[in-house]
Amino acid sequence: MDQAAGGYPADLVLYALSAAFALVTALTSTLVPHRAWGSIAVWSYAAAFLLAGLQFAGHLLVRRGTLPALRRFVGNGARAAVTGTVWAAAALLPLVVQAIQRADGRTDRAQEEVLVVEHMGERLLNDGTPYLSRDAIAALPADERLLGYSPYQPGMSIFGIPRALFGDVWWTDARVWFALFTALILIAAVGLLHPRFTRRPSTARSFATVRALQAVTVLPICALTLATGGDDIPVLAFCLLALTLAATDRYGWAGVAIGAAAACKLFALPVVAVLAVLAMAVARGGRFLPGALGLPILVLVPPFQVDQDGFLENVIRFPLGHGLVTSPAQSPFPGYLLAQHVPNGRYLALGLLLAVAAVITVRILWWPPRHADSASLICGWGLLAAILLMPTTRFGYLLYPLAFFVWAAALRPPLGKHKPGPALSNHTATSRPLDDTALYRL
């Protein structure tokens, strides 16, 4: 049904619902940056709805042979052009507007994570570590302690370095650099999905690629996140690039890409684990593991030399609820509700999370994935379970499983046949478990 009538009905639904989401956000959100995003994005999505409607009409005229000259304005290439335009209008434009207003003195034009990342870059340059110690955080005024915590891996501080070096101008805003990295990474990933790299028919590949690109750019949860906070988007983009590199038998570079994601945020570690199993299942572990494990370890060297406990306080204790202040990540998912309303609920939620992790671990070790599309689906289901069951979580984290689910279709070989690349052995091609394709029926 997604590809019915060239995919235009689904595009119309996507842009209509996105416009409605942006309108509701602009009118009702309690977060000022979100309202500012919605006031711009609603017009962007409305314009996209009209463009998609015109493309749909043109598609019908071309199919009937009425106006064949419109062929160049319809099809997957035209849909991709609309997708890029909408991303620029619904994510990048609000981001730049908010960054300029913030540089002019508005203090309500960025979410707290933007400030945290910029502080990380400043501390890294000045102190050699992006983290404050527990004692240093305790010495801050009570209302500043939350921003004293930096619950990210040291690699995230790179996005804060421009502001530390060049001061408070709009282009040093961490979100600008999140967006720049994301754009470059997605361009690389989409380029790798070209039929000459994947040996899949161009029409099928391009349709799935456009849909995958929409899932990580114009989907409101992604556009809103990038424009107002943004730290998750380049991490997600690195994960998707790693899956795409694995799909094209570039496991060495896949390890570097997912290692970069894990060097920025621990949220990428489950993806590292799934891709490691995939790499070893197809005899590519020697290429994949150095980058996948080496980069996250390498970025720990400077902060561990300065203050090992500072890292533990910020990245481990604080997210687990053992910091001096409570994490604001409190979306009402099952894990959070259990932790808040059931005696010993936090331990119950963690127990359920560990049980799900054990089930997924047994699954991938007993029936290891042998292609990146299956790995993407496993990552999606695993992260969805983690988001629902973690005692502290955010609604925005759902962008990860949603992107993995949709991206899997772009990675999937034709007709569900997982053919190995030229470097893979015949044994790899014939020994692939049947259970891999069963994930698509879940």
Side-chain angles (χ1 to χ4, degrees):
M1 292 182 64
D2 182 43
Q3 298 190 37
Y8 291 109
D11 286 350
L12 289 169
V13 171
L14 169 64
Y15 295 132
L17 292 178
S18 298
F21 179 91
L23 178 61
V24 171
T25 301
L27 296 176
T28 66
S29 177
T30 58
L31 299 174
V32 177
H34 287 202
R35 292 204 306 271
W37 168 82
S39 65
I40 297 176
V42 61
W43 301 107
S44 306
Y45 289 127
F49 179 82
L50 293 176
L51 285 175
L54 291 174
Q55 285 186 322
F56 188 23
H59 169 78
L60 295 177
L61 291 173
V62 169
R63 288 193 61 182
R64 293 171 183 172
T66 306
L67 287 174
L70 292 176
R71 189 178 304 274
R72 69 181 63 182
F73 300 107
V74 299
N76 293 319
R79 292 177 58 240
V82 171
T83 298
T85 302
V86 176
W87 188 54
L92 302 185
L93 177 59
L95 186 161
V96 172
V97 169
Q98 292 195 31
I100 292 174
Q101 292 175 342
R102 181 184 172 214
D104 288 339
R106 291 288 299 267
T107 59
D108 58 355
R109 284 296 182 262
Q111 291 185 187
E112 292 173 342
E113 52 263 39
V114 178
L115 307 180
V116 168
V117 171
E118 292 170 354
H119 291 161
M120 288 180 69
E122 183 179 358
R123 294 190 198 110
L124 180 65
L125 291 180
N126 295 333
D127 305 325
T129 175
Y131 307 113
L132 292 177
S133 66
R134 187 179 181 93
D135 291 340
I137 296 173
L140 295 173
D143 58 349
E144 296 180 12
R145 290 175 184 170
L146 179 60
L147 290 179
Y149 276 100
S150 305
Y152 309 122
Q153 285 277 80
M156 188 66 76
S157 60
I158 293 175
F159 298 101
I161 289 178
R163 204 166 191 86
L165 289 176
F166 302 104
D168 298 344
V169 292
W170 73 268
W171 56 269
T172 62
D173 191 298
R175 290 169 295 181
V176 173
W177 296 91
F178 292 149
L180 178 61
F181 271 73
T182 298
L184 294 175
I185 295 166
L186 290 180
I187 289 171
V190 170
L192 288 169
L193 290 174
H194 192 277
R196 69 173 176 268
F197 295 116
T198 60
R199 298 193 307 279
R200 186 176 180 182
S202 59
T203 54
R205 173 63 63 186
S206 58
F207 181 90
T209 301
V210 173
R211 190 65 79 212
L213 197 57
Q214 289 173 334
V216 74
T217 56
V218 303
L219 199 69
I221 193 173
C222 295
L224 169 63
T225 299
L226 182 61
T228 61
D231 59 277
D232 284 296
I233 303 299
V235 175
L236 173 61
F238 270 124
C239 292
L240 297 176
L241 176 60
L243 287 162
T244 307
L245 287 163
T248 55
D249 196 30
R250 294 171 171 82
Y251 281 91
W253 287 110
V256 173
I258 196 59
C264 293
K265 207 162 189 178
L266 290 178
F267 217 77
L269 288 182
V271 185
V272 173
V274 174
L275 279 174
V277 173
L278 168 64
M280 290 186 286
V282 297
R284 295 293 184 271
R287 298 182 185 178
F288 175 81
L289 292 176
L293 300 181
L295 281 178
I297 294 174
L298 185 63
V299 298
L300 293 177
V301 173
F304 268 53
Q305 288 181 330
V306 176
D307 183 6
Q308 178 179 337
D309 191 68
F311 168 83
L312 297 176
E313 175 68 19
N314 285 263
V315 183
I316 306 298
R317 298 188 193 121
F318 174 68
L320 292 178
H322 298 294
L324 296 173
V325 293
T326 303
S327 171
Q330 298 177 352
S331 296
F333 290 133
Y336 172 75
L337 295 176
L338 284 173
Q340 294 297 312
H341 303 294
V342 176
N344 296 317
R346 173 177 292 274
Y347 299 103
L348 177 59
L350 291 175
L352 291 173
L353 182 59
L354 291 174
V356 171
V359 170
I360 295 175
T361 300
V362 170
R363 190 271 176 214
I364 63 175
L365 292 178
W366 192 261
W367 296 294
R370 293 186 180 272
H371 197 272
D373 66 319
S374 302
S376 186
L377 288 172
I378 293 170
C379 291
W381 288 114
L383 287 176
L384 178 60
I387 291 165
L388 294 178
L389 293 175
M390 286 191 300
T392 55
T393 186
R394 292 182 186 271
F395 176 78
Y397 289 158
L398 289 175
L399 63 89
Y400 285 93
L402 288 174
F404 287 133
F405 289 145
V406 179
W407 204 267
L411 302 174
R412 192 181 189 188
L415 303 178
K417 296 179 181 179
H418 290 61
K419 297 180 181 180
L424 299 184
S425 66
N426 291 331
H427 173 74
T428 301
T430 57
S431 63
R432 183 181 180 278
L434 296 177
D435 297 75
D436 237 18
T437 55
L439 283 167
Y440 285 94
R441 299 191 291 271
L442 290 176

